[in-house]
Amino acid sequence: MPDFSLLLDLDSDALQTLAHAYSSYAAYLDTGNAEDIHTIACCYMKAAAYEMLLNQSNARSLFALAAARFTQISDPYGLIAGICSYQDCPDLSITTETTPDIQFYQLLNGAFTGATVDTTAWQEPVGRLQIPFRLYADTLTDTIDQEAAQLPKVWKPLLTRMHTRPRLLSKDTARWRKLEGTITPIEPETVATCITLLRVAERQGIASDVLTSLVQAQQDNAYIAMKIGLLLR
């Protein structure tokens, strides 16, 4: 499995330590040592976010565990975990909440599964990265009926925007490299978005091997999340 720590200038040992710490704590709590399912789910999710930079197979398993626990408590973030583990996502369309974040998760879930989703959000910033809903929606729409060669051009604005936060955080070299504080190098929702874009492209008849070659040819670090998305299959 590819190790993306070098490309991101991260200490792989620090990544591994954090992934192990969060996954071990989640597993401990998940064996009857706590009733706080949300904490368990978040720990699995955090572990997966670190692990996906090192071992995508292990990360997928952790995302699946997170999805199961989030779903257990009807937490809409389970949609993100579900996409990252390439699982069918729970249907949260019956939720009484219609916050922009939930509509964002439902937008990705709908595009991932091929379902139609009605949303009212548009310019609102959504998700952990607070990117306007419209940019996600427009990029998903613009992916439809595109030739494979045009996809990098279609995806680049959103991928660049999603990579802005890690690019800025990495300027504090020492803290970034050792992942000090609460740094998450690449947010799971970024990878979930990339997986969804790939799924939409495949649904248009673009072969998986063509998409893989296309993405692997991109040198910009903004495409790392897309490469991880391919490897989480």
Side-chain angles (χ1 to χ4, degrees):
M1 289 290 173
D3 180 345
F4 291 98
S5 61
L6 183 60
L7 283 176
L8 291 168
D9 195 26
L10 294 167
D11 185 327
S12 61
D13 289 337
L15 270 174
Q16 190 61 65
T17 297
L18 286 167
H20 179 72
Y22 277 103
S23 61
S24 296
Y25 186 53
Y28 168 75
L29 295 178
D30 211 8
T31 53
N33 291 296
E35 296 181 357
D36 186 352
I37 304 300
H38 184 263
T39 296
I40 295 171
C42 288
C43 285
Y44 279 132
M45 199 71 166
K46 195 75 170 178
Y50 292 126
E51 190 68 46
M52 70 182 181
L53 300 174
L54 300 170
N55 187 311
Q56 294 75 45
S57 178
N58 288 347
R60 179 173 176 171
S61 297
L62 290 166
F63 278 127
L65 289 168
R69 293 297 169 261
F70 278 127
T71 301
Q72 186 177 343
I73 56 174
S74 300
D75 189 314
Y77 207 59
L79 295 174
I80 299 299
I83 293 171
C84 288
S85 58
Y86 279 85
Q87 294 181 337
D88 289 335
C89 302
D91 181 8
L92 296 179
S93 60
I94 60 172
T95 180
T96 57
E97 298 182 77
T98 56
T99 66
D101 278 0
I102 290 178
Q103 291 188 59
F104 166 49
Y105 304 150
Q106 290 176 328
L107 172 74
L108 292 184
N109 185 43
F112 179 78
T113 60
T116 300
V117 178
D118 292 326
T119 60
T120 57
W122 193 240
Q123 295 288 5
E124 294 89 340
V126 294
R128 304 289 173 88
L129 299 177
Q130 291 292 281
I131 294 172
F133 182 94
R134 179 178 181 176
L135 184 53
Y136 289 104
D138 284 351
T139 305
L140 286 166
T141 299
D142 291 345
T143 299
I144 299 172
D145 295 330
Q146 287 287 347
E147 294 183 1
Q150 297 301 314
L151 289 176
K153 181 180 179 180
V154 171
W155 293 341
K156 184 67 179 292
L158 177 57
L159 294 181
T160 300
R161 185 69 176 271
M162 291 191 294
H163 193 65
T164 296
R165 184 170 181 268
R167 180 175 57 80
L168 292 175
L169 288 173
S170 67
K171 291 184 181 299
D172 187 344
T173 308
R175 288 176 59 84
W176 169 261
R177 180 165 175 74
K178 292 294 185 180
L179 297 159
E180 295 178 359
T182 58
I183 291 175
T184 301
I186 297 177
E187 289 289 345
E189 67 188 42
T190 298
V191 175
T193 300
C194 292
I195 290 172
T196 302
L197 290 169
L198 291 166
R199 178 63 65 88
V200 171
E202 288 179 339
R203 203 175 290 126
Q204 306 311 306
I206 301 175
S208 177
D209 60 335
V210 172
L211 287 170
T212 298
S213 297
L214 193 70
V215 171
Q216 295 297 350
Q218 307 304 313
Q219 300 301 311
D220 192 320
N221 276 4
Y223 278 87
I224 289 176
M226 187 74 76
K227 293 174 182 178
I228 291 171
L230 285 169
L231 292 164
L232 283 171
R233 294 171 184 269

